[in-house]
Amino acid sequence: MNDAAAPQGREGIRREGIRHGGDLTQAARLFPEAPAPWIDLSTGINPWPYPLPALAPAAWTALPTRGALDALLAAAAGAYGAPGPDSLVAAPGSELLIQTLPRLRPPGEVAIVGPTYGDHARAWAAGGHRVQGVATPDGAPGTTDVLVVCNPNNPDGRTWSPTDLLDRAADLAARGGWLVVDEAYADLDPGRSLCGHAGRPGLIILRSFGKFFGLGGLRLGFILAPAPLLDAVRAGLGSWAVSGPALAVGTAALADLEWQAGARRRLAGAADALDAVVRGAGVPIVGGTALYRLLDAGDARHLWRHLAQCGVWTRPFPEHPGREGWLRLGLPPDPDAMDRLAGALASFVRP
Amino acid sequence: MNDAAAPQGREGIRREGIRHGGDLTQAARLFPEAPAPWIDLSTGINPWPYPLPALAPAAWTALPTRGALDALLAAAAGAYGAPGPDSLVAAPGSELLIQTLPRLRPPGEVAIVGPTYGDHARAWAAGGHRVQGVATPDGAPGTTDVLVVCNPNNPDGRTWSPTDLLDRAADLAARGGWLVVDEAYADLDPGRSLCGHAGRPGLIILRSFGKFFGLGGLRLGFILAPAPLLDAVRAGLGSWAVSGPALAVGTAALADLEWQAGARRRLAGAADALDAVVRGAGVPIVGGTALYRLLDAGDARHLWRHLAQCGVWTRPFPEHPGREGWLRLGLPPDPDAMDRLAGALASFVRP
């Protein structure tokens, strides 16, 4: 790897293939001169993680047991308001579930409400489906077999009415279709979740554990769907797909409703504080959730590069035509990080 | 679950669907009166695990980085003698890779050298392939598209010559076929591994991390194969399939060649000690590896039930017709466990 020739700006973004935030390996390669330590604002992961419980040695050494999995599913059903533990299947991250769904039905027409998290479109296209982006759930054509909606949406935070989504699921189910609702950020606003309706025909819900609980390295996610589809997902994952540490930590965290309520309050306050700093620097905020804020930075490559040169790693969206102004910022983890962000924003000179 | 009516004996084995060892939830349900604690000899997992290194908080909190994955692949390539880190793809357990392979080629004829680990046959059959068992690699019919061999084999420990297997891979590759070599227990005898030949046409190798390193809960496995197949596996797994703790612990353990050499010696000695106890009780040993020993117990359901009633959980094979005598024992983890096993064997009265 030739660091001396590290590409920067939009070419850098494109040439390096930045598809996701969260990889400081890439940041350090592109901007070797940036001041350490890097402040990683490139993801929507809670910077105040659920405190790790003490793990029994068997969580590491033994094959995960059915009993441990049952406990996790019961805790998840409780946290998500699902009808019961049989409503869910656990996986090593919701990303793997995104890759799995397109294999479980014959190629068809897929409409994805966007711009949104890019792996949905990539996975369905790789599975041989015809994929098109639509601006709203109602904008999907009548021939749609699968409609994918992120609720709330990443990165702009748009939300959709649960009642409307249930209607769309019923429409799709009536002709053998699916509504896939990615609720990766729904922990922030549980009232908007469809998990209470899990099991309805045609309704598929994905949940991500790592974002809200601040444990992205743990790899844990869930799918809620009608039983035959859950059976197919379970069979494809094989035995023991979820690690012993993920079973133990996930069970403790999902059962801890008090921590979850506190985290919602803390995140909401932190998002407000971030907004104040960004707006104070004259940059408008155009969306987001309490785990990330979406800025309109004009031509975002300039602010992205400037922040990176200051050691602040953020997420631009050059892959979305017409959204070149978007820049997504996660929550600064502490006052020092907020100060460094504020200083970097203040020293930015628009070209 | 009605514990009072817990079925026992072969009916219990069948009715409960015991497909794998390692789940004491099941043991306790079937034999609620057994003395605690259970001694779990039902798997082939090293009872002396690699000592967990201190984990950086980011291993839990952050999304796994490309740099962490590269370090793991380099350590794995070194430990396995693979040509380089590009020869491997990491997954959350080799079990998931077993489920993945049948989806990556059109339905065809699959020959599996057995009796062996049952999930190979289940996964290929579920993928629409025609599956037959064969007694040896040379016994596969000329129409075979995919030949699956476990080397060494589980549970009987049979091994196959690397040279012969490479010849079979070349034969199969010449007509678009695959040789799948499951090396889940090859760490015990690295000289027999084909990993040094990874990348050859038609040759697919699976490695399991958890068994030899005694960390079955971590979920980590590898596939070595020609580059286009690795690309397909990688795409199906999506980003971040391997957890941060698995990346960190796996990297440390796979790079620790001295620990690995010591573990080989210790396991060989422990297997000899187990053999002495079993033979002293008059039960013949018919195969195995240094991580498990295979007994011929006549009609194994009797000895299996007796040991379970003594709190010793072992693995019978009622699913293999003609092998009803087989009983597999893992290594007792300490002298107390060995004593309890010896006592249980001594008190067995053949019906």
Side-chain angles (χ1 to χ4, degrees), chain B:
Chain B
M1 187 63 56
N2 182 355
D3 280 340
Q8 297 196 356
R10 184 177 300 167
E11 282 60 48
I13 303 177
R14 290 216 167 121
R15 207 187 308 172
E16 288 282 322
I18 296 184
R19 284 187 174 176
H20 304 108
D23 196 333
L24 291 179
T25 310
Q26 205 167 29
R29 194 166 59 223
L30 284 171
F31 297 94
E33 309 295 332
W38 277 94
I39 296 173
D40 187 5
L41 306 184
S42 69
T43 73
I45 297 177
N46 184 346
W48 304 291
Y50 186 79
L52 290 177
L55 295 182
W60 299 94
T61 59
L63 288 171
T65 65
R66 180 72 223 179
L69 180 59
D70 287 345
L72 174 73
L73 296 177
Y80 298 154
D86 293 343
S87 314
L88 307 92
V89 166
S94 57
E95 171 74 10
L96 183 60
L97 295 168
I98 290 173
Q99 306 297 330
T100 299
L101 285 177
R103 290 196 298 263
L104 299 180
R105 58 179 298 140
E109 299 209 11
V110 178
I112 300 179
V113 180
T116 190
Y117 184 63
D119 279 4
H120 287 291
R122 277 189 286 272
W124 287 98
H129 301 263
R130 292 180 300 284
V131 175
Q132 64 172 306
V134 294
T136 66
D138 289 339
T143 52
T144 299
D145 297 302
V146 177
L147 175 61
V148 180
V149 185
C150 298
N151 196 34
N153 190 48
N154 172 11
D156 61 9
R158 286 191 298 168
T159 57
W160 310 102
S161 138
T163 314
D164 289 354
L165 290 179
L166 288 174
D167 287 347
R168 295 312 312 260
D171 294 346
L172 285 156
R175 44 202 173 81
W178 289 351
L179 175 71
V180 178
V181 185
D182 183 344
E183 294 192 350
Y185 292 96
D187 311 72
L188 298 164
D189 183 6
R192 210 166 271 284
S193 171
L194 293 184
C195 287
H197 305 278
R200 284 207 188 185
L203 177 61
I204 299 171
I205 306 164
L206 301 176
R207 298 289 302 222
S208 165
F209 175 82
K211 297 173 179 69
F212 176 67
F213 289 95
L215 294 168
L218 196 64
R219 310 317 300 142
L220 180 61
F222 299 89
I223 181 169
L224 300 89
L229 183 57
L230 291 186
D231 289 342
V233 171
R234 211 183 274 114
L237 289 171
S239 309
W240 320 300
V242 176
S243 72
L247 291 172
V249 176
T251 302
L254 287 162
D256 192 343
L257 302 182
E258 190 179 333
W259 183 91
Q260 293 165 39
R264 277 184 204 105
R265 287 189 298 270
R266 179 176 192 171
L267 292 167
D272 287 347
L274 175 58
D275 283 5
V277 166
V278 171
R279 289 207 175 102
V283 184
I285 290 170
V286 294
T289 70
L291 278 170
Y292 53 83
R293 308 303 294 161
L294 189 66
L295 286 49
D296 182 350
D299 182 343
R301 65 179 162 168
H302 301 297
L303 182 55
W304 171 76
R305 185 172 54 215
H306 172 76
L307 292 174
Q309 286 165 341
C310 297
V312 178
W313 192 232
T314 62
R315 174 73 159 90
F317 295 88
E319 71 270 34
H320 294 323
R323 303 300 198 287
E324 289 81 2
W326 278 4
L327 194 67
R328 192 187 66 197
L329 271 62
L331 302 177
D334 54 47
D336 279 354
M338 187 72 97
D339 286 349
R340 274 184 64 192
L341 171 64
L345 286 170
S347 66
F348 176 56
V349 180
R350 194 175 295 269

Side-chain angles (χ1 to χ4, degrees), chain A residues 15-283:
Chain A
R15 205 184 314 165
E16 288 282 323
I18 296 184
R19 285 188 174 176
H20 304 109
D23 196 334
L24 291 179
T25 310
Q26 203 165 32
R29 194 166 56 222
L30 284 171
F31 297 93
E33 309 295 330
W38 278 94
I39 296 173
D40 186 5
L41 305 184
S42 69
T43 74
I45 296 178
N46 184 346
W48 305 290
Y50 186 78
L52 291 176
L55 295 182
W60 300 93
T61 59
L63 288 170
T65 66
R66 180 71 224 182
L69 180 59
D70 287 345
L72 174 74
L73 296 177
Y80 297 153
D86 292 343
S87 314
L88 309 92
V89 166
S94 57
E95 171 74 11
L96 183 60
L97 294 168
I98 290 173
Q99 306 297 331
T100 299
L101 285 176
R103 290 197 299 262
L104 298 180
R105 60 178 297 140
E109 299 208 11
V110 177
I112 299 179
V113 180
T116 190
Y117 182 64
D119 279 4
H120 287 291
R122 278 189 285 272
W124 286 99
H129 302 263
R130 292 180 300 283
V131 175
Q132 66 173 305
V134 295
T136 66
D138 289 338
T143 53
T144 299
D145 297 302
V146 177
L147 175 61
V148 180
V149 186
C150 298
N151 197 31
N153 190 47
N154 173 12
D156 62 8
R158 287 191 297 170
T159 57
W160 310 102
S161 137
T163 313
D164 289 354
L165 289 179
L166 288 173
D167 288 348
R168 294 311 313 261
D171 294 346
L172 285 156
R175 44 202 175 79
W178 289 351
L179 175 72
V180 178
V181 186
D182 183 345
E183 294 193 350
Y185 293 95
D187 311 72
L188 298 164
D189 183 6
R192 210 167 273 284
S193 171
L194 293 183
C195 287
H197 304 280
R200 284 206 191 186
L203 177 62
I204 298 171
I205 307 163
L206 301 177
R207 298 289 302 224
S208 165
F209 175 83
K211 297 174 179 68
F212 176 67
F213 289 96
L215 294 168
L218 196 63
R219 310 318 298 142
L220 181 60
F222 299 89
I223 180 170
L224 301 88
L229 183 57
L230 292 186
D231 289 341
V233 172
R234 208 181 279 116
L237 289 170
S239 309
W240 321 299
V242 176
S243 72
L247 290 172
V249 176
T251 302
L254 287 162
D256 192 344
L257 302 181
E258 190 178 332
W259 183 92
Q260 293 165 40
R264 278 183 204 106
R265 288 189 296 271
R266 179 175 193 173
L267 292 168
D272 286 347
L274 174 59
D275 283 5
V277 166
V278 171
R279 289 206 175 101
V283 184

Side-chain angles (χ1 to χ4, degrees), chain A residues 261-303:
Chain A
R264 278 183 204 106
R265 288 189 296 271
R266 179 175 193 173
L267 292 168
D272 286 347
L274 174 59
D275 283 5
V277 166
V278 171
R279 289 206 175 101
V283 184
I285 289 169
V286 294
T289 69
L291 278 171
Y292 53 83
R293 309 303 294 159
L294 188 66
L295 286 49
D296 183 351
D299 182 344
R301 64 179 161 169
H302 300 298
L303 182 54

